[in-house]
Amino acid sequence: MKRSGRRFSIFSLWRFCTTLPKLLASLLKRPFTSEWFDVLAAANSGDADEVPEGWKTVREISAETGLSESHTWKQLRQLHEQGKIERRRFKICTGTTIRPVPHYSI
């Protein structure tokens, strides 16, 4: 008898795909009462940091130099490892969320 090589039957895959949205909907209706959730939410909330003069993101540096962001990122990482530039993370607003973004200074 020849095996098809499938780990799951077509029916079990179909059943999983049809019950997943119901499961996710039920999870989203539950209130988050975890102590860890409260701590993590508090850590992510807050105001954005004020970035001091002279600190720039990879995107800003690549726009100034005309190099791609990936090439700029690699060069900045090497310079930081050599101790020629400083790197600090500042919380800035990226679209709709506040995230820590690395900034570089000469």
Side-chain angles (χ1 to χ4, degrees):
M1 178 181 268
K2 190 174 185 181
R3 294 182 65 180
S4 65
R6 294 184 190 148
R7 291 184 182 199
F8 302 103
S9 70
I10 298 297
F11 176 75
S12 64
L13 184 60
W14 172 81
R15 186 174 174 195
F16 173 75
C17 291
T18 56
T19 56
L20 185 62
K22 295 174 189 173
L23 176 66
L24 291 175
S26 68
L27 289 174
L28 291 175
K29 289 179 184 175
R30 295 181 189 172
F32 291 104
T33 57
S34 169
E35 185 177 324
W36 280 106
F37 181 79
D38 296 337
V39 170
L40 292 173
N44 289 332
S45 66
D47 297 330
D49 296 334
E50 187 172 326
V51 180
E53 184 98 13
W55 290 87
K56 298 184 181 201
T57 64
V58 173
R59 185 169 289 164
E60 293 168 341
I61 295 170
S62 68
E64 279 184 20
T65 59
L67 301 171
S68 69
E69 288 184 29
S70 61
H71 182 72
T72 303
W73 179 265
K74 291 174 189 174
Q75 295 297 316
L76 290 172
R77 188 181 64 219
Q78 288 176 354
L79 290 170
H80 176 67
E81 288 173 357
Q82 295 170 4
K84 295 182 180 179
I85 61 172
E86 290 182 70
R87 182 179 87 180
R88 278 183 52 193
R89 291 182 186 266
F90 294 101
K91 288 184 181 180
I92 62 170
C93 185
T94 58
T96 58
T97 59
I98 296 174
R99 296 183 180 198
V101 176
H103 287 67
Y104 297 89
S105 175
I106 298 175

